[in-house]
Amino acid sequence: MSIYLIGDIHGCFDELKIILGQVQFNPVADTLWLTGDLVARGPNSLEVLRLVRSLGDSVRMVLGNHDLRLLSIYAGISRNEPKDRMTALLKAPDIEELINWLRCQPVLQVDEEKKLLMVHAGITPQWDLATACQCALEVETELRSDSYPLFLDAMYGDMPNYFSSELSYLARLRFSTNVFTRMRYCLPNGQLDMSCKDIPNKAPPPLRPWFMLPSLVSECYSIVFGHWASLMGQGTPSNIYGLDTGCCWGGKLTLLRWQDRVFTYVPSNYQNKVSIKKCIMA
């Protein structure tokens, strides 16, 4: 039995099928972990959602910001933009089933036996694991409720940018959603900065990537995340793995086999490529 972790798919269905074939993924014996952002920007979001849903309990995934955007578009809160490339998905006959399945997915995965966490964007250094799990549960409960459109309508916004026990419930939900699905940078005190998207060596001081700040969580767990394609999987501490390598932007789709830390890469537009690179993490 193997655990395979795959970075942001973004509708890149062909590359997903190829990479699963390369490692001979067996849904009966293996488990597939997905870092979120299954949809948008790539060409085949509908096919990706149908495939992942069909795999049932062999998949452990988290929701990303583009997955939440799909839910928001479906609920009539956000506008479907051509760049999202989700029109075929939104017009699909099974869209309601897919939406109801998607909004029941978590924003945080924890495997205590393997001391492994997965999230789309990151874990704020202000949280210990118990706080992260509680905040994740609150977001997940709202998404699974019949009133989820009300939550989505209040979700967007960059404030508050600092966690406190004094935050109202709604403010805490927005902060948590930003941490789990949008965060890249923090100030040294853990305050979120939601504006900077540059690579770390171009970020203005004193901003630092969330994974470079002291953390109670990363001291005890390995963390796998997506979201930050421009990192191309580089520059993180040894126990933190960034798996979004920009397949929908012409990069590659990345898979990590957890047992031996072997990476498999499939280039975007794979039909025009001939090689798959593998490396073993030092």
Side-chain angles (χ1 to χ4, degrees):
M1 175 180 175
S2 294
I3 292 178
Y4 297 107
L5 303 106
I6 296 181
D8 299 19
I9 300 168
H10 276 297
C12 294
F13 178 72
D14 291 342
E15 291 86 346
L16 175 61
K17 290 283 287 184
I18 290 166
I19 210 167
L20 292 177
Q22 287 293 323
V23 299
Q24 299 182 342
F25 171 71
N26 179 357
V28 175
D30 302 328
T31 305
L32 185 64
W33 290 50
L34 304 175
T35 64
D37 277 1
L38 273 62
V39 302
R41 306 302 173 91
N44 300 113
S45 293
L46 174 59
E47 290 78 3
V48 169
L49 282 190
R50 284 174 172 168
L51 173 61
V52 174
R53 182 172 179 249
S54 74
L55 294 174
D57 292 340
S58 62
V59 169
R60 295 182 66 171
M61 61 168 284
V62 292
L63 295 170
N65 55 302
H66 285 277
D67 304 316
L68 294 184
R69 176 168 168 76
L70 169 60
L71 297 179
S72 179
I73 293 171
Y74 182 78
I77 295 161
S78 298
R79 179 181 299 177
N80 180 31
E81 302 286 350
K83 65 182 180 181
D84 293 321
R85 304 180 74 177
M86 292 196 291
T87 300
L89 169 58
L90 291 163
K91 292 183 177 180
D94 54 344
I95 181 60
E96 183 175 1
E97 296 174 13
L98 293 170
I99 289 293
N100 288 334
W101 166 79
L102 190 65
R103 67 185 181 89
C104 289
Q105 302 308 309
V107 293
L108 174 67
Q109 292 279 3
V110 182
D111 188 317
E112 283 291 348
E113 179 182 351
K114 295 177 174 56
K115 295 298 179 183
L116 173 63
L117 269 65
M118 182 175 66
V119 69
H120 179 64
I123 301 287
T124 173
Q126 293 186 266
W127 286 346
D128 58 18
L129 181 58
T131 305
C133 290
Q134 178 59 37
C135 290
L137 179 61
E138 291 174 350
V139 173
E140 292 159 5
T141 299
E142 294 300 323
L143 285 171
R144 293 168 184 172
S145 72
D146 291 339
S147 59
Y148 79 95
L150 297 176
F151 162 69
L152 292 171
D153 193 34
M155 175 183 67
Y156 292 100
D158 295 344
M159 300 298 289
N161 60 5
Y162 194 80
F163 187 76
S164 167
S165 59
E166 303 300 317
L167 290 176
S168 68
Y169 181 62
L170 181 58
R172 188 166 68 246
L173 284 171
R174 188 183 299 117
F175 177 86
S176 300
T177 303
N178 283 338
V179 168
F180 288 126
T181 68
R182 294 180 59 211
M183 176 180 66
R184 290 185 177 90
Y185 286 100
C186 297
L187 294 170
N189 66 353
Q191 180 177 326
L192 305 186
D193 178 275
M194 304 304 297
S195 60
C196 184
K197 297 182 180 181
D198 287 330
I199 57 176
N201 63 6
K202 293 185 178 181
L207 296 183
R208 299 188 66 190
W210 64 268
F211 50 76
M212 297 305 293
L213 293 172
S215 167
L216 295 173
V217 175
S218 62
E219 288 177 358
C220 305
Y221 293 82
S222 295
I223 301 176
V224 173
F225 71 104
H227 185 57
W228 203 338
S230 61
L231 290 177
M232 292 302 290
Q234 305 297 312
T236 60
S238 60
N239 67 324
I240 299 181
Y241 303 81
L243 297 186
D244 183 5
T245 45
C247 188
C248 70
W249 307 111
K252 57 192 176 184
L253 190 64
T254 293
L255 175 148
L256 168 62
R257 187 169 64 204
W258 188 246
Q259 291 91 311
D260 49 13
R261 310 304 194 269
V262 170
F263 286 87
T264 298
Y265 306 106
V266 169
S268 182
N269 297 319
Y270 178 84
Q271 61 270 22
N272 297 321
K273 309 289 183 177
V274 294
S275 65
I276 295 176
K277 298 184 293 181
K278 294 185 178 179
C279 66
I280 298 178
M281 189 126 181

